[in-house]
Amino acid sequence: MTRPALAALRAELADLTIYDDAPSLRMHSRDFFWFSPVLKPDLDGKQAELVILPKNKDEVRRVAAACARHQIPLTVRGGGTGNYGQAVPLEGGVLLNLTRLNRVVATTLGAGRFEAGANMLDIDKALAPLGQELRMHPSTRAQATLGGFVAGGAAGAGSCTWGQIDNLGAVIAVEVMTVEPEPRLIELRGKEILKVMHAYGVNGIITEVEVPLAPAHAWAERIATFDTLKQAAAFGQAFTECDGIAKKLVSIHDPRIAPYLRRLAPWLGENKAFAILMVSEPQADELDRLIAGMDGTVTYSRNAAEARAAAFGEHREKGAPGPLYEYTWNHTTLHALKVDPTITYLQLRFPPGRNLDLLDWAEAHFRDDVLFHIEFQRRQGRVYHSSLPLVRFTTPERLTEIMRQAEEAGIQASNPHTWVLNNAGWKRTDAPQPEFKRLADPLGLMNPGKLLDWQADAAQAAE
């Protein structure tokens, strides 16, 4: 790319919202890659040369066409809540922020269609009067966009009932705009959706997403403590298997994590494992009885109205924590980093049937440097858990060794310390993402450097 090309693009799009000041370029070019001490030194300072915020699909089309004509790299982002540098432009160019593309396109009983930049918390606020809600959302619900969740997310609150975003039926349709001189819209359904799911925006601009909706529940919150992680995990398994109790979050934590969650300190006890839970309010008493029956103690209860107020940014009682899901999944890492900047994390999946036994093994085997918190999920009719454990970082080699030993034991590892799309464990899909990139991004301009297969193909083509 040449400077004249960038200047020509800017002149062509002068009526759009464009930023090129240093603070804006830095802010819009970052995600949470700094969770990783491996990624941080390599990605610090990488940024776009222009940031563009379109407000409708016509403006998105103009940007896509201009980038194609002027051969300028294009990186698309939503809320920027990813953790692997997905939204970091490795080769400068244009950063396309889609957060203004945020309309509710259509809703019906059981499904909703939204523009890709729609914030997930705002979506649930819009659905509340209809008695519906998104099936799942990440812990970054207040910042994340639906398109970003499809392009870079996986699971979150709701996964204990509905599984992951890549499960069959979790997404109904995705509309994608191509990046070429005359951009086209392509509608993907069924397994075709996997072509752009968790693809970091390397092969098309996601413009609309249609997802199934769930009946909205009045979600009450609980914190419960247990003497050991083993006891807490056994409770988490039993609760998730209780099909008759509607639930949205089952998050189990090692006792050693408590000092990192300072806002929750009054309810975590001393040297206690703990569970962070969301349950349908009419069934909360049944949950309390299950906790007591498994030798746990409820230490914090918040009714649904108070929990909703905390989540929706409304008034909450003095001293009360924010929504409890903001202490789970990878928010646990965020809180830990505020206390100890040497902390990092890994991503592990424990297979169904063996998950509790393998957790016992892993807790003992990695005792010195890994602190487990586990998130229960239901997939293909079976209950298991995944984990984003806190790791006391020493060296990149030690992180690799932990993942290797976990894999040998039967625990799947996905490396969060790489920005390469097809070098990240189970996040690799069977979909032909490089092949779809040839169709949707024939010039190879989108988020360059994130898809190894495409780079190899391009090199071969040049020979």
Side-chain angles (χ1 to χ4, degrees):
M1 181 184 62
T2 64
R3 291 288 174 183
L6 194 67
L9 176 141
R10 176 162 190 161
E12 183 179 329
L13 303 176
D15 58 315
L16 304 190
T17 301
I18 299 177
Y19 299 120
D20 64 358
D21 60 286
S24 293
L25 293 177
R26 174 178 166 79
M27 178 181 70
H28 289 275
S29 298
R30 292 173 64 85
D31 59 15
F32 285 82
F33 69 83
W34 50 270
F35 277 21
S36 167
V38 179
L39 295 179
K40 190 175 186 297
D42 289 334
L43 293 181
D44 259 342
K46 299 285 187 183
Q47 62 184 40
E49 294 161 278
L50 290 179
V51 173
I52 305 179
L53 285 84
K55 62 179 181 293
N56 55 48
K57 277 197 284 188
D58 181 62
E59 291 188 358
V60 175
R61 186 187 303 272
R62 289 176 58 197
V63 174
C67 284
R69 287 196 303 274
H70 296 287
Q71 299 280 292
I72 293 175
L74 176 64
T75 302
V76 183
R77 69 168 274 164
T81 61
N83 302 115
Y84 329 112
Q86 300 106 308
V88 176
L90 299 180
E91 298 183 15
V94 169
L95 191 294
L96 187 66
N97 184 320
L98 292 183
T99 53
R100 292 183 182 177
L101 200 75
N102 57 12
R103 291 187 311 118
V104 175
V105 177
T107 59
T108 186
L109 189 60
R113 191 174 178 105
F114 310 91
E115 288 185 330
N119 172 268
M120 297 184 78
L121 179 59
D122 288 342
I123 290 174
D124 273 335
K125 289 179 180 179
L127 292 173
L130 306 177
Q132 301 191 88
E133 65 184 15
L134 294 171
R135 285 182 171 185
M136 70 186 83
H137 61 75
S139 63
T140 52
R141 181 191 193 191
Q143 298 84 29
T145 63
L146 184 57
F149 190 45
V150 170
S159 290
C160 56
T161 299
W162 299 107
Q164 294 206 161
I165 194 70
D166 64 344
N167 291 175
L168 185 65
V171 178
I172 297 171
V174 177
E175 181 185 80
V176 180
M177 185 177 292
T178 63
V179 177
E180 47 192 342
E182 296 293 335
R184 296 165 293 136
L185 288 175
I186 300 173
E187 182 94 353
L188 301 176
R189 291 178 176 267
K191 290 185 177 180
E192 296 291 297
I193 294 168
L194 293 177
K195 293 176 178 179
V196 296
M197 184 172 286
H198 217 286
Y200 301 3
V202 300
N203 55 4
I205 303 170
I206 296 175
T207 51
E208 291 185 8
V209 180
E210 185 175 347
V211 291
L213 304 176
H217 283 267
W219 296 115
E221 296 177 332
R222 295 288 189 273
I223 297 175
T225 59
F226 296 82
D227 286 341
T228 65
L229 179 61
K230 181 170 184 168
Q231 285 180 302
F235 156 76
Q237 183 83 17
F239 178 38
T240 309
E241 290 175 350
C242 286
D243 292 338
I245 301 179
K247 61 191 74 68
K248 196 154 189 175
L249 181 67
V250 185
S251 182
I252 307 299
H253 296 247
D254 184 299
R256 295 174 295 165
I257 291 177
Y260 297 115
L261 306 185
R262 291 177 170 177
R263 286 294 301 275
L264 301 185
W267 306 286
L268 301 184
E270 190 171 343
N271 298 321
K272 295 282 189 179
F274 57 97
I276 298 176
L277 311 164
M278 293 173 67
V279 61
S280 183
E281 188 164 72
Q283 298 177 294
D285 289 346
E286 199 64 58
L287 169 60
D288 293 344
R289 285 189 283 271
L290 178 64
I291 292 168
M294 298 191 72
D295 298 323
T297 302
V298 175
T299 58
Y300 181 78
S301 299
R302 181 153 61 186
N303 66 35
E306 294 167 340
R308 173 188 163 113
F312 282 14
E314 301 166 357
H315 175 75
R316 65 175 186 260
E317 67 176 294
K318 187 176 180 179
L324 292 190
Y325 57 76
E326 290 188 349
Y327 297 88
T328 67
W329 293 89
N330 227 5
H331 252 80
T332 309
T333 310
L334 177 62
H335 290 289
L337 280 165
K338 291 178 180 178
V339 177
D340 180 356
T342 67
I343 288 288
T344 188
Y345 75 110
L346 288 172
Q347 296 178 317
L348 303 175
R349 176 186 287 173
F350 292 72
R354 301 177 58 210
N355 57 309
L356 295 184
D357 289 340
L358 283 171
L359 177 63
D360 288 346
W361 172 85
E363 182 192 13
H365 189 74
F366 300 119
R367 182 73 186 175
D368 291 340
D369 46 7
V370 181
L371 287 65
F372 283 97
H373 65 100
I374 59 175
E375 315 293 342
F376 276 91
Q377 298 177 262
R378 179 180 288 279
R379 299 185 74 210
Q380 283 80 46
R382 303 187 72 184
V383 170
Y384 75 107
H385 66 260
S386 57
S387 182
L388 299 165
L390 304 182
V391 181
R392 296 182 174 120
F393 178 72
T394 52
T395 66
E397 291 75 21
R398 176 56 183 161
L399 293 176
T400 301
E401 180 63 15
I402 292 170
M403 288 186 283
R404 185 192 67 78
Q405 292 180 18
E407 290 271 7
E408 283 186 354
I411 303 166
Q412 290 179 283
S414 184
N415 184 8
H417 302 283
T418 175
W419 64 72
V420 177
L421 172 63
N422 39 5
N423 188 30
W426 73 73
K427 292 190 184 69
R428 290 174 291 186
T429 70
D430 295 328
Q433 290 173 340
E435 286 78 0
F436 187 70
K437 186 174 176 70
R438 294 190 191 97
L439 175 68
D441 180 29
L443 301 173
L445 299 173
M446 295 200 68
N447 212 354
K450 305 291 174 63
L451 187 63
L452 284 181
D453 286 349
W454 173 264
Q455 292 172 325
D457 292 344
Q460 291 168 6
E463 292 177 355

